[in-house]
Amino acid sequence: MTEVRISHLTKSFGAGPVVDALSLTIGHGEFVSLLGPSGCGKTTTLRMIAGFEDADSGVIAFDGSDVSRVPAEKRDIGMVFQNYALFPHMTVAQNLAFGLEMRKIPAAEIRTRIARVLDMVQLGTMTERYPSQLSGGQQQRVALARAIVIEPRILLLDEPLANLDAKLREEMRVFIRDIQRRVGITTVYVTHDQAEALSMSDRVVVMFGGRIAQTGAPADIYDRPATRQVAGFVGQVNVIEGVVETASGEGGHVRLPFGTIEAPRIGAATPGARVALALRPEAVSLVPPAGAGWQGRVVSRHYGGNLVDYRVAMADGTVIHAQTFPTTQFEPGAEVGVHADAARLWPLGD
Amino acid sequence: MATGKRRSATLLLIAPAALVLLVFLVIPYVNIVIMSFRPPGEGAPYGVGFTLANYRKFFSDSFYMLQVLNTLWIGFVVTLSCLLIGFPVAWQLARGESRLRPLYYSIVLAPLLVGIVIRSYGWTVLLGNNGVINRTLMGWGVTDGPLPLMYNGLGICIALTHVLLPFMVLPIMSAIQGIDPSLEAAARSLGASRAVAFRRVLLPLARPGIQTGSILVFVLAISAYVTPALIGGLRVKTMAVTVVDALIDTFQWPFGSALALVLSVVGATCVIVFARLTRMRWKVA
């Protein structure tokens, strides 16, 4: 197992920096996701860890030794590429043997290690197939097997599930995480898919514009986003602005454009201060209009199977996004009572 | 029923090309084959009856055998030098990031834009005993007399390499463009140096382009007429030049036909053997 320490890593292509003074430590055996929109620098960061790009400045260290000037082939990493990058002229077995041959492993051991890893990815019978004879999901598993069969210090995955269909993608999330746990390898996973990052990672690093916006456990990122940008990128969110009326400890009474609410956490705000509160759609429930809560009118409804998506116009015109279980449903145009779970309100920084 | 319809549509689509091939290639070829078994004629292309004399004449005279070997050797040298010179160029064109790439591309294509006679004449200006290269070398005192650059195999190889280079560069370039750049990254992440990644991954994947380019250049080199005729002069003759000599100069149509057929068979055999040796077992998805 290996600890990766990145400090003040910077890289520019022409105009502005793509990665801007990024510092991050990834612990032994930890699974860390770099999450962000395209162009946020996550893939460039990964390629610098792999050694495919040289940093303009900053240091990358594996277990305390600086590898910034070590070429990719000497870094002892395993990498899974978005398009799998399997060698089309080699069979599955030859693809897997490649890295072991580079390490001068004896032929007999190569055979046993390939058999063991293929067993792990449930492709034991596919050794003599060429990549073009495999399905996308099978190619993906071969790519993963090829990366871990060399028993690298670090596993790097660059959007590995982006080319799979939705169902397979969810299966592979569990599969990859399971194998990573069994092998116990330090892993960096690049994705723009927040569901992947949240479901697989020990820790999520949200990046915007080459900088880290927030680092934390998946629940931290989702329930306690640091900024509007993070809140908006990781899942769906209502951002409601209000004015603090009374504050007591962590919480306080906040006046919103369409009502008031007693929130247990409003940040360290004094009466009269403006606050922005994040409210996840699933923390909003709709009740018949006679019930408690704010009053609103359903603007639209989208049925999603396990959840129903509503847009509700409040008295002042603010539109609140709500997701509820489909047990009770409201027609578009219906008057409803809107109830927010105050415990799920979270104050956002800028 | 449906497949029958599809089959007739297929036939209809290939009919024009098939007709052109039949009229302008197959029929003349059959004519050449028949003519090669005719005795020479007086005042006519060939006489009456059939004979093996033309082939007997070819195989009994080592002069012609040597000429075949010489032609194949020129084809081999030209193919190899086009490959060695063309591969880096193709690589640069396929993978280079220079903004001048369109310019490089047009430089590669440039030889095809100049008529073959003019191009070959240009080489005689450069390579001749009184040509630019020899005069410069003698002017600098590097050599006392002119170097033999023309009227020999060397001159033919130099000129043919220049003429045929695009036929090597273009197929290799398109093969390299089809190789996913992340394959090299994958090889290096697995511990292969750049050189090993090139040898084990990129070169095998560029092989279809190398194969196509080599066959094109080889076939065009052994059948080239204008360039060997102008550069080789009277002293060095390739098979194509000898065939034309027999047909035009000495008016031996049946013997010329036999020579042309031998050249075709030898050339085709070389290509088939080469294609067999470099055959690929895998296919790209």
Short mmCIF file of all heavy atoms in Angstrom, two decimals, chain A residues 91-127:
data_model
loop_
_atom_site.label_atom_id
_atom_site.label_comp_id
_atom_site.label_asym_id
_atom_site.label_seq_id
_atom_site.Cartn_x
_atom_site.Cartn_y
_atom_site.Cartn_z
N THR A 91 -4.35 -11.23 -27.38
CA THR A 91 -5.47 -11.88 -26.70
C THR A 91 -5.57 -11.33 -25.28
O THR A 91 -4.70 -10.60 -24.81
CB THR A 91 -5.27 -13.40 -26.61
OG1 THR A 91 -4.09 -13.63 -25.84
CG2 THR A 91 -5.10 -14.03 -27.98
N VAL A 92 -6.65 -11.72 -24.60
CA VAL A 92 -6.83 -11.31 -23.22
C VAL A 92 -5.61 -11.72 -22.39
O VAL A 92 -5.04 -10.92 -21.64
CB VAL A 92 -8.12 -11.95 -22.64
CG1 VAL A 92 -8.18 -11.79 -21.13
CG2 VAL A 92 -9.35 -11.33 -23.29
N ALA A 93 -5.17 -12.97 -22.56
CA ALA A 93 -4.02 -13.45 -21.80
C ALA A 93 -2.76 -12.64 -22.12
O ALA A 93 -2.00 -12.30 -21.22
CB ALA A 93 -3.78 -14.93 -22.09
N GLN A 94 -2.57 -12.32 -23.41
CA GLN A 94 -1.39 -11.55 -23.80
C GLN A 94 -1.45 -10.12 -23.26
O GLN A 94 -0.44 -9.56 -22.84
CB GLN A 94 -1.26 -11.53 -25.32
CG GLN A 94 -0.81 -12.87 -25.89
CD GLN A 94 -0.99 -12.95 -27.41
OE1 GLN A 94 -1.78 -12.23 -27.99
NE2 GLN A 94 -0.24 -13.85 -28.02
N ASN A 95 -2.67 -9.54 -23.26
CA ASN A 95 -2.83 -8.22 -22.67
C ASN A 95 -2.42 -8.22 -21.20
O ASN A 95 -1.72 -7.33 -20.73
CB ASN A 95 -4.29 -7.76 -22.78
CG ASN A 95 -4.54 -6.90 -24.01
OD1 ASN A 95 -4.26 -5.70 -24.00
ND2 ASN A 95 -5.04 -7.50 -25.07
N LEU A 96 -2.87 -9.26 -20.49
CA LEU A 96 -2.57 -9.33 -19.06
C LEU A 96 -1.09 -9.65 -18.80
O LEU A 96 -0.52 -9.20 -17.82
CB LEU A 96 -3.46 -10.39 -18.40
CG LEU A 96 -4.72 -9.85 -17.73
CD1 LEU A 96 -5.60 -9.14 -18.73
CD2 LEU A 96 -5.48 -10.97 -17.04
N ALA A 97 -0.50 -10.44 -19.73
CA ALA A 97 0.90 -10.83 -19.53
C ALA A 97 1.86 -9.68 -19.78
O ALA A 97 2.97 -9.67 -19.25
CB ALA A 97 1.24 -12.00 -20.45
N PHE A 98 1.40 -8.69 -20.57
CA PHE A 98 2.29 -7.61 -21.01
C PHE A 98 3.05 -6.96 -19.84
O PHE A 98 4.28 -6.90 -19.82
CB PHE A 98 1.48 -6.56 -21.78
CG PHE A 98 2.33 -5.52 -22.45
CD1 PHE A 98 2.79 -5.70 -23.74
CD2 PHE A 98 2.67 -4.34 -21.79
CE1 PHE A 98 3.56 -4.74 -24.38
CE2 PHE A 98 3.45 -3.37 -22.41
CZ PHE A 98 3.89 -3.58 -23.71
N GLY A 99 2.30 -6.50 -18.86
CA GLY A 99 2.92 -5.82 -17.72
C GLY A 99 3.83 -6.73 -16.91
O GLY A 99 4.85 -6.29 -16.36
N LEU A 100 3.46 -8.02 -16.85
CA LEU A 100 4.26 -8.97 -16.08
C LEU A 100 5.57 -9.28 -16.82
O LEU A 100 6.62 -9.42 -16.19
CB LEU A 100 3.46 -10.26 -15.85
CG LEU A 100 2.18 -10.07 -15.03
CD1 LEU A 100 1.34 -11.33 -15.03
CD2 LEU A 100 2.50 -9.65 -13.60
N GLU A 101 5.48 -9.35 -18.16
CA GLU A 101 6.69 -9.57 -18.95
C GLU A 101 7.65 -8.40 -18.79
O GLU A 101 8.87 -8.58 -18.70
CB GLU A 101 6.34 -9.76 -20.44
CG GLU A 101 5.72 -11.11 -20.73
CD GLU A 101 5.03 -11.15 -22.10
OE1 GLU A 101 5.22 -10.21 -22.89
OE2 GLU A 101 4.30 -12.12 -22.34
N MET A 102 7.10 -7.19 -18.74
CA MET A 102 7.93 -6.00 -18.55
C MET A 102 8.67 -6.08 -17.20
O MET A 102 9.74 -5.54 -17.04
CB MET A 102 7.08 -4.72 -18.56
CG MET A 102 6.44 -4.43 -19.89
SD MET A 102 7.63 -4.20 -21.21
CE MET A 102 7.00 -5.30 -22.45
N ARG A 103 8.05 -6.77 -16.24
CA ARG A 103 8.66 -6.91 -14.92
C ARG A 103 9.51 -8.16 -14.81
O ARG A 103 9.93 -8.54 -13.72
CB ARG A 103 7.57 -6.91 -13.85
CG ARG A 103 6.99 -5.54 -13.61
CD ARG A 103 5.66 -5.60 -12.87
NE ARG A 103 5.22 -4.26 -12.51
CZ ARG A 103 4.77 -3.35 -13.37
NH1 ARG A 103 4.70 -3.65 -14.65
NH2 ARG A 103 4.39 -2.15 -12.96
N LYS A 104 9.71 -8.85 -15.94
CA LYS A 104 10.57 -10.04 -16.00
C LYS A 104 10.11 -11.14 -15.03
O LYS A 104 10.90 -11.82 -14.40
CB LYS A 104 12.04 -9.69 -15.69
CG LYS A 104 12.59 -8.53 -16.50
CD LYS A 104 13.41 -9.03 -17.68
CE LYS A 104 14.13 -7.90 -18.38
NZ LYS A 104 13.20 -6.98 -19.08
N ILE A 105 8.80 -11.29 -14.91
CA ILE A 105 8.24 -12.36 -14.07
C ILE A 105 8.35 -13.67 -14.86
O ILE A 105 8.08 -13.69 -16.06
CB ILE A 105 6.75 -12.07 -13.77
CG1 ILE A 105 6.57 -10.66 -13.22
CG2 ILE A 105 6.16 -13.14 -12.86
CD1 ILE A 105 6.69 -10.47 -11.76
N PRO A 106 8.75 -14.78 -14.22
CA PRO A 106 8.86 -16.06 -14.92
C PRO A 106 7.51 -16.51 -15.50
O PRO A 106 6.46 -16.24 -14.90
CB PRO A 106 9.32 -17.05 -13.84
CG PRO A 106 9.71 -16.24 -12.68
CD PRO A 106 9.17 -14.87 -12.82
N ALA A 107 7.57 -17.23 -16.64
CA ALA A 107 6.37 -17.60 -17.38
C ALA A 107 5.36 -18.36 -16.52
O ALA A 107 4.15 -18.13 -16.62
CB ALA A 107 6.74 -18.41 -18.62
N ALA A 108 5.84 -19.26 -15.68
CA ALA A 108 4.93 -20.07 -14.88
C ALA A 108 4.14 -19.19 -13.91
O ALA A 108 2.92 -19.36 -13.76
CB ALA A 108 5.72 -21.13 -14.10
N GLU A 109 4.82 -18.24 -13.32
CA GLU A 109 4.14 -17.36 -12.37
C GLU A 109 3.16 -16.44 -13.11
O GLU A 109 2.08 -16.14 -12.61
CB GLU A 109 5.16 -16.54 -11.58
CG GLU A 109 4.53 -15.88 -10.36
CD GLU A 109 5.45 -14.88 -9.69
OE1 GLU A 109 6.68 -15.05 -9.79
OE2 GLU A 109 4.93 -13.93 -9.08
N ILE A 110 3.56 -16.01 -14.33
CA ILE A 110 2.66 -15.18 -15.14
C ILE A 110 1.34 -15.91 -15.33
O ILE A 110 0.26 -15.35 -15.13
CB ILE A 110 3.29 -14.84 -16.51
CG1 ILE A 110 4.43 -13.84 -16.33
CG2 ILE A 110 2.24 -14.29 -17.47
CD1 ILE A 110 5.10 -13.41 -17.61
N ARG A 111 1.43 -17.23 -15.66
CA ARG A 111 0.22 -18.00 -15.90
C ARG A 111 -0.67 -18.07 -14.67
O ARG A 111 -1.87 -17.85 -14.74
CB ARG A 111 0.58 -19.41 -16.39
CG ARG A 111 0.70 -19.51 -17.90
CD ARG A 111 0.69 -20.95 -18.37
NE ARG A 111 1.77 -21.74 -17.80
CZ ARG A 111 3.01 -21.75 -18.28
NH1 ARG A 111 3.31 -21.04 -19.34
NH2 ARG A 111 3.96 -22.46 -17.70
N THR A 112 -0.06 -18.33 -13.51
CA THR A 112 -0.90 -18.46 -12.32
C THR A 112 -1.50 -17.11 -11.93
O THR A 112 -2.66 -17.03 -11.53
CB THR A 112 -0.09 -19.02 -11.13
OG1 THR A 112 1.06 -18.21 -10.92
CG2 THR A 112 0.33 -20.45 -11.37
N ARG A 113 -0.72 -16.05 -12.10
CA ARG A 113 -1.27 -14.73 -11.71
C ARG A 113 -2.40 -14.31 -12.64
O ARG A 113 -3.40 -13.73 -12.19
CB ARG A 113 -0.14 -13.68 -11.69
CG ARG A 113 0.54 -13.65 -10.32
CD ARG A 113 1.82 -12.88 -10.33
NE ARG A 113 1.60 -11.43 -10.32
CZ ARG A 113 2.58 -10.57 -10.05
NH1 ARG A 113 3.79 -11.00 -9.75
NH2 ARG A 113 2.34 -9.28 -10.06
N ILE A 114 -2.24 -14.58 -13.94
CA ILE A 114 -3.31 -14.24 -14.89
C ILE A 114 -4.58 -15.03 -14.55
O ILE A 114 -5.68 -14.48 -14.50
CB ILE A 114 -2.87 -14.53 -16.34
CG1 ILE A 114 -1.83 -13.52 -16.78
CG2 ILE A 114 -4.07 -14.50 -17.28
CD1 ILE A 114 -1.28 -13.77 -18.16
N ALA A 115 -4.40 -16.32 -14.25
CA ALA A 115 -5.56 -17.16 -13.93
C ALA A 115 -6.26 -16.62 -12.69
O ALA A 115 -7.50 -16.54 -12.65
CB ALA A 115 -5.10 -18.60 -13.71
N ARG A 116 -5.47 -16.22 -11.69
CA ARG A 116 -6.07 -15.74 -10.45
C ARG A 116 -6.87 -14.46 -10.68
O ARG A 116 -8.00 -14.32 -10.22
CB ARG A 116 -4.96 -15.52 -9.41
CG ARG A 116 -5.47 -15.47 -7.98
CD ARG A 116 -4.32 -15.53 -7.00
NE ARG A 116 -3.43 -14.41 -7.14
CZ ARG A 116 -2.10 -14.48 -7.08
NH1 ARG A 116 -1.52 -15.64 -6.90
NH2 ARG A 116 -1.36 -13.41 -7.19
N VAL A 117 -6.27 -13.53 -11.42
CA VAL A 117 -6.94 -12.24 -11.64
C VAL A 117 -8.16 -12.39 -12.53
O VAL A 117 -9.20 -11.79 -12.28
CB VAL A 117 -5.94 -11.21 -12.23
CG1 VAL A 117 -6.68 -9.97 -12.69
CG2 VAL A 117 -4.90 -10.84 -11.20
N LEU A 118 -8.05 -13.22 -13.56
CA LEU A 118 -9.21 -13.42 -14.44
C LEU A 118 -10.36 -14.05 -13.68
O LEU A 118 -11.53 -13.78 -13.95
CB LEU A 118 -8.82 -14.28 -15.65
CG LEU A 118 -8.14 -13.54 -16.79
CD1 LEU A 118 -7.83 -14.48 -17.94
CD2 LEU A 118 -9.00 -12.38 -17.29
N ASP A 119 -10.00 -14.89 -12.72
CA ASP A 119 -11.01 -15.49 -11.87
C ASP A 119 -11.71 -14.40 -11.07
O ASP A 119 -12.93 -14.39 -10.93
CB ASP A 119 -10.31 -16.47 -10.92
CG ASP A 119 -11.19 -17.66 -10.66
OD1 ASP A 119 -11.86 -18.09 -11.62
OD2 ASP A 119 -11.19 -18.14 -9.51
N MET A 120 -10.90 -13.47 -10.56
CA MET A 120 -11.42 -12.38 -9.75
C MET A 120 -12.41 -11.53 -10.55
O MET A 120 -13.43 -11.09 -10.03
CB MET A 120 -10.25 -11.53 -9.27
CG MET A 120 -10.49 -10.77 -7.99
SD MET A 120 -9.16 -9.62 -7.65
CE MET A 120 -7.91 -10.66 -6.98
N VAL A 121 -12.10 -11.26 -11.82
CA VAL A 121 -13.01 -10.44 -12.64
C VAL A 121 -14.00 -11.31 -13.43
O VAL A 121 -14.67 -10.83 -14.33
CB VAL A 121 -12.25 -9.50 -13.61
CG1 VAL A 121 -11.37 -8.54 -12.84
CG2 VAL A 121 -11.43 -10.29 -14.62
N GLN A 122 -14.08 -12.59 -13.08
CA GLN A 122 -15.04 -13.53 -13.65
C GLN A 122 -14.93 -13.64 -15.17
O GLN A 122 -15.92 -13.62 -15.89
CB GLN A 122 -16.46 -13.12 -13.25
CG GLN A 122 -16.67 -13.20 -11.75
CD GLN A 122 -17.80 -12.31 -11.29
OE1 GLN A 122 -18.70 -11.97 -12.05
NE2 GLN A 122 -17.77 -11.91 -10.02
N LEU A 123 -13.69 -13.72 -15.66
CA LEU A 123 -13.47 -13.89 -17.09
C LEU A 123 -12.55 -15.08 -17.36
O LEU A 123 -11.83 -15.10 -18.36
CB LEU A 123 -12.86 -12.62 -17.70
CG LEU A 123 -13.79 -11.43 -17.86
CD1 LEU A 123 -12.99 -10.21 -18.31
CD2 LEU A 123 -14.88 -11.72 -18.86
N GLY A 124 -12.59 -16.05 -16.48
CA GLY A 124 -11.65 -17.17 -16.55
C GLY A 124 -11.62 -17.90 -17.88
O GLY A 124 -10.59 -18.44 -18.27
N THR A 125 -12.73 -17.88 -18.63
CA THR A 125 -12.78 -18.67 -19.86
C THR A 125 -12.41 -17.87 -21.09
O THR A 125 -12.45 -18.36 -22.21
CB THR A 125 -14.20 -19.22 -20.07
OG1 THR A 125 -15.09 -18.11 -20.12
CG2 THR A 125 -14.61 -20.14 -18.95
N MET A 126 -12.05 -16.60 -20.89
CA MET A 126 -11.89 -15.70 -22.05
C MET A 126 -10.44 -15.50 -22.46
O MET A 126 -10.16 -14.63 -23.27
CB MET A 126 -12.49 -14.32 -21.71
CG MET A 126 -13.94 -14.35 -21.34
SD MET A 126 -14.95 -14.62 -22.80
CE MET A 126 -16.57 -14.63 -22.09
N THR A 127 -9.52 -16.30 -21.93
CA THR A 127 -8.09 -16.00 -22.10
C THR A 127 -7.66 -15.86 -23.56
O THR A 127 -6.83 -15.03 -23.88
CB THR A 127 -7.21 -17.08 -21.45
OG1 THR A 127 -7.69 -18.34 -21.90
CG2 THR A 127 -7.23 -17.00 -19.96
#
